[in-house]
Structures are given as structure tokens and as C-alpha cells.
């Protein structure tokens, strides 16, 4: 397999921060993906760093983090155009989403809403670490998306920023205008510093290229989004610091519209219209309903000789409300459908130590510590029925990561993590669900139990900074994953939880790549392969009408590449390409689009003709993926619909009106491309066949003080 990887001519990103200065500025970028701050040129792995400048530029076009990540991160699937990131895998597997290292995903019952957990205006940068990793524990089979929040100024002063904007359809303005306001203040008084950000946004209706309102399933039309973030810090002295942070996020669709359902197999889109109250979107407003995070962190940079200590405790409460679905019907008990909620409570504590020692021509770093996590997750229905019973997970892990820098140009990393997990589930009964009058699942009494998982995972990596022209690396890492046990429990076909195939999946991830710098050009490439003995795919049961999990061995492979060219002090270009493919190796069949995304290419041009004026043009190409054949009726099922290519171009710009005033604009889908997003083409499940946004404009102004 490695001969195959090495023979690939188009490869991928090992680390990227686009158009943020000269290409060799990358060496000065620091990342915290290994749980300590380190220079990115000493990281032998694929990392994408999205800077504050890039976040702000994309915010002028689209405020959704999904859209930003899809544009900036090779290997991440295209934007879904909705509030859900289901199908937006990272290198064919699920990423773990975090805010400052605190997990936001709900891996025990993955509802794929973790990407939308904070407003971009609160972020200083985003770090994306690709490939299976156990550095942060369960749920990172595809890698890590870590949102790094802003810090208060280090000067003894006070600063602030207020931004107001409106976003509307340029195809048909009627009812589409929304409003957004965000504000931030921060400052420092002696040893105390503070940062407070707040944002509030109300969307109008969202329209496709034909002017029709987009379908409502996971839709963003009429969505109301609020985010309030606070970070308070106190420095006892130059070495000791205590920090408290709080994040509140809510984003719910509150609409009086109703869907006109279509069928992707027939080429018919789902769209929304005004309808009588009886036909409007049923149930509670869908989306995150006031999710909260609290973190307290204490740092001592010299706890003992050459050693730093970081202690943090955190809590998280999540309630994600899903759409009303007729597939959750049970006519025998009077239920015409149902609406589910994923509830998750996490309580965690972590102790991380970082010791550095210098030997002759060798710098040795040892990162070690203990993680503890309690995660209670369930998925009840709003009407009181229990779809996924409460799962109580207690996890304790110890880890050691070593890093050796030899002669300043050879970096060797090796590490081990030992994790012990207890997962408890009480006795429960699976739900009787009817997709039609004749297609119903059979309820089953299941005996509960406590399942023990003990896993030891390893990683080793080498990077050789031979020269600017060629810095190769090799990386092998393992991840231990018990993702989406809830999906297995709710589709149980045996009467004892001990008989359900809930074993942890060990993912082996292999990667090779290199970085090359020539004057103002930086090239980064990598190729990867990951294998797992137990994957999670779905198979449609034609008798019950239920999609049931299938755990079978999987192999996923791919390559990515980036070229970053600083043409001049005022003009920079960046282009990427990524390809991923995967198979169920037991049946020798391709994996569906829930995991595998089509090829993706992006380009970004940044131009600053004047000190007061700048523009960004971004281009996205999503390629074809047509791996499956229709059934006997000529229809595609599950996530196996054929994907045809499409292209999108966005434009943004800003102009400094005065010392403290900036005006900005953004246009999404500049040429009004009429298309279905990749997920909408591939997913044949009802309600997903929704077209992408037509031309949408943003106008705004900001004031800093």
C-alpha cells in the first residue's frame, strides 16, 4: 500500500494558513493540537490552521462554520448548506469538534451538530488535525476540529468592536433579509483580564437559484441564533494563571412555513412555501436549544524543574432538537410521527504536564497526564417515548507523548495512551416504528449491562527538515472509538446488550507527506490510509423500513495537496485538491456518502490594492462520485445517490472608511449556480433533496474602539 501512496502525484495538506503572509511565515505559526503549544514546522502530521483574518473574511460571505471549514480544509467534505454536518466527514471518518479542547460532539449518539456550537466572531483561529488520534479520547476517528477562542489584550487597556450587517437573497429579496449584530469588549486591569463577546442573528428565508425557499429539514431559513462567550483571567504572577470561560449557544428554526416534498430519484427538489397552520413545520423549533460550556483552567509554567502544569475541569450540557419525522410513527399507539432530542451531559477533568530537557544536540519533551470524563447521553422523543436509552460512560485515561528534536532538523514523536471506559445501560425496550402501515419494526426487550472497554493506542512519527525545498514526514497513529453506540442500541436485534456488537473500533492511520518552499511558493502534500476492523455503515431493511447499522472492516485512503503563492505584498494565491475513497473490505463494496465525499478543489485569491481596501475571491469545485447502481426499480437507496460536479464562486471585500470605521460586503454564489449540494444528491432519505443557496449578499459596517 505504501508503494501506492508514494506513487501518487497529487497529495495533500500537512499544514496550512492561507494568504496570511509569506509562505515561510508558516514556521512561526504555533498550534496546540498535541495539548501543548509548539511550532507547526515541528509537527509531523497533517494540520490546517485557519487564521483570524481568514475567519473574518469568510464571515462577510457566510456566518456558518461549516461553510468556512469546507472551503479551507482539504479532506473535509463539502458544506451541507444546513445546520447539520451529517455527511461532512474528515478523511472519511467523523471528527471530534472541540472548543479550547473541550469536546462539543456527542459521540455516544452522534447527531452531527457539533460543528455549529459557537459563533465565528468569538474565535482567534481554528486548528484541524487530520487522521485518527487518541490524544483527546473517544470520538476522534477522523481527527480533531479545535476552535481556539480569542484572548484578552495583554496591554493594560480596554478595546471593543461592534459589527452590524444584513444578509439577503439577490435572486428574490422578498422575506429574505436578515439581521446580525456582534460585539466584543476586552481589557486588562493589573493582573485581571477579561473578554466578552456576544452575537445575535435572525435569518430571513433562504432562497435557491430559482428564488424558491429552501426546504426546512435542518434548514436555516427563519433561524434565530444567539452566542454569548466570556473569558476571565487572573495572573497570580508571571508563571501562574487561573482562567474561567463560559459559552452559551442557541440556534433554532422558528418558522411558519411548510415543505413541499420532492424526490431526488425523480430529480425533484424539496422546497418550502407559506401554508395554513395545520400544514406548517411541526413540533418544537429544531436546532441547539441553549447549549452551555463552563471551563476552569489553572496553569503553572514552572510547577517543578523545566515543567509546566495545566489543570482544567469542564462541564457541558447539550440539548439538540431534531425535526419532526413521519418515520417515527406508531399508529397503534396514536403517534403520527415524532421528534427526537439528543441530550448530553459531560463532566471532565484533565491534568497535563509538559517537561522539557536539553541534551547535547537533542531537545526532549515529555507530555503526560490523566484525563477523566463522565458522559451521560440519551435520545428521547419529545412525546416521552425513549428511542435511545440513557448511556452512562465513565472514562479514565493516562497518556505519555514524547518529542525529540535532534540537531534542530529531525523531529521524532512517539506516544501511548491507555484508556479504560465503563459504559452502563439499563434494561430497555426498542421502539416500534412504522415507515408505512405495513413496514414496522418489532419492539424488543433488551437486558441492560455494563460494558468495559480497555484500549491501548500508540503513535509514532518522524519529520526531517532536510531543507526548505524538501521536509518529508511519516506518521502512524491509532485511535480508539466507540462512536454512535446509541445507533446500535436503538436498532438492536438481540435481547441482551452484551450480544450487540458494541466493541470499540481501533483505527490505524498511516500518512506520508512533505513540505517544500521555493522563494514565495509553499507546496504541501500528503497521502494517507486508514483501516478499522469494525466500521459503522447502514443497510436498509426492506421488511421493517429501518436503516440498520452494519459493522464491517473498512479501508479508507486518499491524498491532498496545496500550493500557496505569495505573488507580491498585495496579492496572494492558494489552491488545494483533495481526494478520498473507501471500501467495506469484507464485501469489497464502496462506502456511501455518509463517510466518503467526492473530490474537492478550492482556490482563494487575496488582493489588497490599497491600505484601506481589500478583496477575497474564493472558488469551490466539487467533483463527480458515481460508485453505485440503482435497485430493480431504478432508484438509488440510502447514501448511494450519484454525485455530479458543481462550481461555486464567492466574493468579499472591505473598505476602511475612517480610523475606527469599516464597511464590508460579501456575495455567496456570485454567478447564481443552480445546484444540489453533494449530500443532497447522495442522500435519498426524505427531506434531504434541497438545493443550494442562490446568490446571497451581505452588507455591513463595523466600529472599533
Amino acid at each position: 500500500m505504501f508503494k501506492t501512496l508514494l506513487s501518487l502525484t497529487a497529495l495533500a495538506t500537512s499544514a496550512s494558513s492561507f494568504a496570511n503572509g509569506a509562505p515561510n511565515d508558516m514556521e512561526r505559526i504555533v498550534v496546540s493540537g498535541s495539548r501543548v503549544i509548539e511550532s507547526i514546522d515541528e509537527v509531523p502530521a497533517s494540520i490546517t490552521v485557519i487564521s483570524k483574518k481568514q475567519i473574518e473574511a469568510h464571515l462577510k460571505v457566510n456566518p456558518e462554520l461549516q461553510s468556512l471549514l469546507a472551503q479551507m480544509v482539504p479532506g473535509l467534505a463539502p458544506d451541507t448548506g444546513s445546520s447539520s454536518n451529517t455527511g461532512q466527514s474528515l478523511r472519511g471518518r467523523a471528527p471530534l469538534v472541540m472548543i479550547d479542547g473541550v469536546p462539543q460532539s456527542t459521540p455516544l449518539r452522534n447527531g452531527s451538530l457539533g460543528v455549529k456550537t459557537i459563533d465565528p466572531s468569538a474565535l482567534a483561529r481554528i486548528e484541524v488535525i487530520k487522521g485518527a488520534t487518541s490524544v483527546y479520547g473517544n470520538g476522534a476517528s477522523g481527527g480533531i476540529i479545535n476552535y481556539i477562542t480569542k484572548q484578552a489584550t495583554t496591554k493594560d487597556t480596554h478595546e471593543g468592536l461592534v459589527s452590524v450587517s444584513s444578509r439577503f437573497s439577490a435572486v428574490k429579496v422578498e422575506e429574505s433579509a436578515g439581521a446580525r449584530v456582534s460585539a466584543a469588549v476586552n481589557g486588562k486591569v493589573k493582573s485581571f483580564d477579561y473578554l466578552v463577546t456576544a452575537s445575535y442573528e435572525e435569518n430571513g428565508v433562504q432562497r435557491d437559484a430559482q428564488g424558491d425557499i429552501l426546504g426546512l429539514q435542518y434548514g436555516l431559513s427563519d433561524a434565530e441564533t444567539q452566542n454569548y462567550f466570556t473569558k476571565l483571567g487572573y495572573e497570580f504572577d508571571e508563571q501562574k494563571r487561573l482562567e474561567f470561560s463560559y459559552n452559551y449557544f442557541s440556534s433554532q428554526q422558528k418558522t411558519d412555513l411548510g415543505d413541499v416534498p420532492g424526490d431526488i430519484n425523480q430529480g425533484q427538489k424539496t422546497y418550502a412555501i407559506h401554508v395554513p397552520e395545520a400544514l406548517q413545520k411541526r413540533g418544537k423549533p429544531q436546532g441547539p436549544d441553549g447549549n452551555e460550556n463552563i471551563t476552569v483552567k489553572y496553569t503553572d509554567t514552572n510547577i517543578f524543574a523545566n515543567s509546566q502544569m495545566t489543570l482544567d475541569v469542564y462541564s457541558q450540557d447539550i440539548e439538540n432538537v431534531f425535526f419532526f419525522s413521519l418515520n417515527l410513527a406508531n399508529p397503534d399507539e396514536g403517534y403520527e410521527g415524532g421528534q427526537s432530542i439528543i441530550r448530553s451531559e459531560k463532566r471532565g477533568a484533565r491534568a497535563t504536564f509538559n517537561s522539557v530537557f536539553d541534551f547535547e544536540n537533542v531537545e526532549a519533551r515529555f507530555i503526560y497526564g490523566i484525563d477523566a470524563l463522565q458522559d451521560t447521553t440519551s435520545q428521547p422523543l419529545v412525546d416521552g417515548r425513549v428511542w435511545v436509552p440513557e448511556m452512562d460512560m465513565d472514562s479514565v485515561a493516562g497518556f505519555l507523548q514524547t518529542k525529540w528534536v535532534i540537531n534542530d532538523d529531525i523531529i521524532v514523536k512517539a506516544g501511548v495512551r491507555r484508556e479504560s471506559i465503563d459504559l452502563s445501560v439499563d434494561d430497555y425496550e426498542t421502539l416500534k416504528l412504522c415507515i408505512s402501515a405495513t413496514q414496522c419494526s418489532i419492539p424488543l426487550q433488551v437486558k441492560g449491562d455494563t460494558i468495559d472497554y480497555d484500549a491501548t493506542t500508540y503513535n509514532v512519527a518522524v519529520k526531517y527538515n532536510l531543507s526548505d525545498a524538501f521536509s518529508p514526514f511519516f506518521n502512524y497513529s491509532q485511535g480508539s472509538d466507540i462512536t454512535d453506540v446509541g445507533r446500535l442500541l436503538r436498532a438492536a436485534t438481540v435481547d441482551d446488550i452484551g450480544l450487540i456488537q458494541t466493541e470499540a473500533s481501533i483505527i490505524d492511520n498511516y500518512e506520508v507527506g512533505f513540505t517544500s518552499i521555493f522563494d514565495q511558493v509553499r507546496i504541501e502534500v500528503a497521502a494517507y490510509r486508514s483501516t478499522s476492523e469494525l466500521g459503522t455503515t447502514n443497510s436498509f431493511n426492506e421488511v421493517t423500513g429501518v436503516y440498520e447499522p452494519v459493522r464491517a472492516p473498512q479501508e479508507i485512503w486518499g491524498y491532498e495537496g496545496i500550493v500557496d503563492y505569495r505573488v507580491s505584498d498585495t496579492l496572494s494565491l492558494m489552491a488545494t485538491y483533495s481526494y478520498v475513497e473507501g471500501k467495506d473490505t469484507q464485501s469489497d463494496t464502496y462506502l456511501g456518502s455518509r463517510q466518503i465525499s467526492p473530490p474537492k478543489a478550492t482556490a482563494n485569491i487575496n488582493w489588497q490594492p490599497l491600505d484601506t481596501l481589500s478583496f477575497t475571491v474564493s472558488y469551490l469545485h466539487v467533483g463527480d462520485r458515481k460508485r453505485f447502481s440503482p435497485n430493480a426499480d431504478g432508484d438509488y437507496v440510502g447514501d448511494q445517490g450519484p454525485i455530479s460536479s458543481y462550481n461555486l464562486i464567492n466574493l468579499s471585500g472591505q473598505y476602511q472608511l475612517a480610523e475606527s470605521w469599516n464597511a464590508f460586503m460579501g456575495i455567496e454564489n456570485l454567478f447564481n449556480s443552480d445546484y444540489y449540494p453533494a449530500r443532497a444528491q447522495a442522500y435519498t432519505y426524505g427531506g434531504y433533496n434541497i438545493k443550494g443557496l442562490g446568490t446571497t449578499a451581505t452588507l455591513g459596517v463595523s466600529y472599533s474602539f
Side-chain angles (χ1 to χ4, degrees):
M1 183 64 193
F2 284 110
K3 289 182 179 178
T4 302
L5 294 179
L6 291 171
S7 68
L8 296 170
T9 56
L11 305 172
T13 316
S14 61
S16 53
S17 181
F18 308 141
N20 224 24
N24 56 14
D25 286 347
M26 283 295 302
E27 298 178 3
R28 294 189 287 275
I29 293 174
V30 295
V31 295
S32 54
S34 298
R35 300 174 64 140
V36 295
I37 301 287
E38 59 182 337
S39 174
I40 201 168
D41 68 332
E42 294 184 357
V43 179
S46 289
I47 296 180
T48 296
V49 179
I50 305 174
S51 69
K52 177 183 174 183
K53 182 178 180 181
Q54 295 160 338
I55 294 171
E56 291 174 347
H58 196 85
L59 190 57
K60 296 174 176 62
V61 174
N62 187 321
E64 299 298 323
L65 283 167
Q66 274 192 188
S67 175
L68 168 67
L69 291 165
Q71 180 67 33
M72 295 294 187
V73 182
L76 189 74
D79 182 19
T80 66
S82 69
S83 63
S84 167
N85 53 283
T86 180
Q88 195 172 29
S89 61
L90 180 58
R91 289 187 170 181
R93 301 188 186 275
L96 179 67
V97 181
M98 303 187 297
I99 297 176
D100 293 330
V102 176
Q104 303 301 301
S105 305
T106 55
L108 291 179
R109 175 67 276 273
N110 189 359
S112 299
L113 293 177
V115 169
K116 192 178 172 72
T117 53
I118 193 170
D119 190 80
S121 63
L123 302 182
R125 69 183 188 277
I126 303 172
E127 297 176 0
V128 182
I129 304 170
K130 303 171 203 172
T133 176
S134 59
V135 171
Y136 287 93
N138 183 45
S141 61
I144 294 167
I145 299 174
N146 195 11
Y147 299 141
I148 309 298
T149 57
K150 293 178 178 177
Q151 291 281 358
T153 178
T154 57
K155 302 176 183 178
D156 195 4
T157 185
H158 307 276
E159 301 172 344
L161 176 70
V162 178
S163 176
V164 179
S165 62
S166 179
R167 191 165 183 250
F168 53 90
S169 170
V171 182
K172 185 178 180 181
V173 177
E174 182 183 352
E175 298 183 277
S176 69
R180 171 185 168 85
V181 59
S182 63
V185 292
N186 75 94
K188 185 175 182 181
V189 180
K190 295 183 178 179
S191 297
F192 172 76
D193 57 76
Y194 67 93
L195 168 76
V196 179
T197 71
S199 64
Y200 180 84
E201 183 173 7
E202 286 189 4
N203 285 350
V205 300
Q206 298 202 320
R207 298 186 181 274
D208 62 23
Q210 298 173 332
D212 293 324
I213 302 172
L214 303 187
L216 302 177
Q217 185 161 300
Y218 295 119
L220 296 169
S221 290
D222 296 331
E224 180 183 295
T225 302
Q226 304 175 62
N227 183 219
Y228 308 104
F229 177 79
T230 301
K231 183 181 288 185
L232 308 175
Y234 185 81
E235 294 182 353
F236 297 96
D237 54 39
E238 292 183 354
Q239 298 173 342
K240 301 178 182 66
R241 175 177 173 83
L242 182 66
E243 189 172 271
F244 165 87
S245 63
Y246 171 79
N247 184 60
Y248 173 93
F249 185 82
S250 174
S251 182
Q252 295 193 295
Q253 186 183 58
K254 301 177 179 179
T255 184
D256 59 358
L257 301 170
D259 274 334
V260 178
D263 184 340
I264 195 65
N265 277 301
Q266 304 299 320
Q268 301 168 347
K269 68 181 181 185
T270 292
Y271 61 99
I273 60 173
H274 288 284
V275 293
E277 184 175 354
L279 300 177
Q280 291 174 8
K281 193 71 175 176
R282 299 170 65 176
K284 294 180 62 176
Q286 61 182 357
D289 186 13
N291 296 345
E292 295 181 293
N293 292 270
I294 297 174
T295 304
V296 178
K297 178 185 294 186
Y298 175 74
T299 303
D300 188 334
T301 59
N302 192 28
I303 186 67
F304 48 84
N306 304 313
S307 298
Q308 174 180 309
M309 177 189 71
T310 301
L311 303 175
D312 63 305
V313 294
Y314 60 89
S315 69
Q316 179 202 62
D317 292 285
I318 282 179
E319 187 166 295
N320 289 330
V321 182
F322 292 82
F323 56 88
F324 185 91
S325 173
L326 297 176
N327 291 342
L328 298 176
N330 183 353
D332 291 345
E333 296 183 13
Y335 296 110
E336 298 178 356
Q339 188 175 19
S340 70
I341 305 172
I342 289 182
R343 293 195 175 107
S344 180
E345 295 180 359
K346 297 187 184 76
R347 305 291 182 262
R350 297 181 295 207
T352 303
F353 297 86
N354 175 25
S355 300
V356 181
F357 302 96
D358 284 319
F359 306 102
E360 186 176 354
N361 298 321
V362 177
E363 178 189 284
R365 182 188 295 269
F366 300 88
I367 306 159
Y368 49 98
I370 297 176
D371 294 345
L373 172 64
Q374 182 183 65
D375 183 345
T376 301
T377 300
S378 62
Q379 189 177 16
L381 301 187
V382 171
D383 56 38
R385 290 178 290 167
V386 177
W387 196 11
V388 176
E390 188 172 280
M391 298 168 286
D392 294 303
M393 185 189 82
D394 292 305
S395 169
V396 177
F399 62 91
L400 169 65
Q401 184 74 41
T402 67
K403 176 181 176 181
W404 308 82
V405 181
I406 305 168
N407 293 325
D408 294 328
D409 53 21
I410 298 176
I411 299 96
V412 179
K413 278 191 171 185
V416 60
R417 180 183 177 96
R418 175 65 176 178
E419 189 132 24
S420 178
I421 297 176
D422 293 334
L423 182 68
S424 299
V425 180
D426 291 336
D427 297 350
Y428 71 100
E429 182 180 63
T430 61
L431 273 184
K432 178 181 180 181
L433 301 176
C434 300
I435 195 171
S436 69
T438 58
Q439 284 184 306
C440 295
S441 62
I442 301 173
L444 187 67
Q445 292 286 343
V446 181
K447 181 180 180 297
D449 202 349
T450 297
I451 304 172
D452 298 322
Y453 302 92
D454 293 299
T456 303
T457 53
Y458 303 91
N459 66 82
V460 62
V462 180
K463 184 174 186 180
Y464 183 21
N465 290 326
L466 176 64
S467 66
D468 285 347
F470 188 61
S471 297
F473 75 87
F474 166 78
N475 178 28
Y476 167 72
S477 60
Q478 290 183 309
S480 175
D481 192 24
I482 60 169
T483 293
D484 230 350
V485 172
R487 182 182 288 271
L488 298 171
L489 297 182
R490 78 186 191 191
T493 56
V494 292
D495 60 4
D496 190 326
I497 188 177
L499 301 176
I500 301 173
Q501 198 174 7
T502 56
E503 295 96 327
S505 179
I506 302 296
I507 295 100
D508 293 298
N509 187 78
Y510 307 85
E511 182 176 16
V512 292
F514 66 87
T515 301
S516 298
I517 299 176
F518 306 96
D519 294 328
Q520 300 302 312
V521 178
R522 184 182 182 96
I523 301 171
E524 304 176 23
V525 300
Y528 57 89
R529 170 180 175 260
S530 70
T531 62
S532 58
E533 292 302 314
L534 292 171
T536 301
T537 55
N538 292 313
S539 177
F540 182 69
N541 187 321
E542 295 186 359
V543 176
T544 63
V546 174
Y547 286 91
E548 298 173 348
V550 175
R551 306 208 72 189
Q554 296 178 348
E555 179 179 2
I556 296 174
W557 64 93
Y559 51 88
E560 304 167 358
I562 177 174
V563 177
D564 196 356
Y565 178 31
R566 185 75 174 182
V567 181
S568 67
D569 290 340
T570 62
L571 181 64
S572 61
L573 310 173
M574 181 276 299
T576 75
Y577 181 80
S578 54
Y579 174 90
V580 60
E581 193 52 87
K583 278 189 172 184
D584 176 334
T585 56
Q586 182 172 283
S587 62
D588 192 30
T589 57
Y590 286 101
L591 299 174
S593 291
R594 182 169 176 262
Q595 287 185 261
I596 306 300
S597 60
K600 185 182 75 172
T602 68
N604 289 272
I605 301 173
N606 292 272
W607 181 41
Q608 188 169 358
L610 304 171
D611 289 342
T612 56
L613 180 66
S614 63
F615 296 98
T616 298
V617 178
S618 62
Y619 166 74
L620 171 68
H621 168 78
V622 176
D624 295 337
R625 185 173 188 257
K626 301 176 180 179
R627 294 293 191 185
F628 307 99
S629 300
N631 61 18
D633 296 326
D635 293 336
Y636 294 90
V637 298
D639 59 351
Q640 298 182 356
I643 299 173
S644 297
S645 64
Y646 55 91
N647 300 280
L648 298 171
I649 294 178
N650 301 330
L651 170 68
S652 66
Q654 73 171 22
Y655 178 68
Q656 186 171 341
L657 299 169
E659 182 178 356
S660 299
W661 290 91
N662 277 279
F664 58 87
M665 54 77 68
I667 303 177
E668 184 172 5
N669 192 358
L670 180 64
F671 297 108
N672 201 35
S673 177
D674 190 6
Y675 72 102
Y676 286 97
R679 187 185 70 177
Q681 296 185 58
Y683 276 32
T684 64
Y685 319 109
Y688 284 92
N689 53 322
I690 300 168
K691 285 197 170 182
L693 270 179
T695 302
T696 302
T698 300
L699 297 175
V701 63
S702 64
Y703 173 72
S704 58
F705 56 91

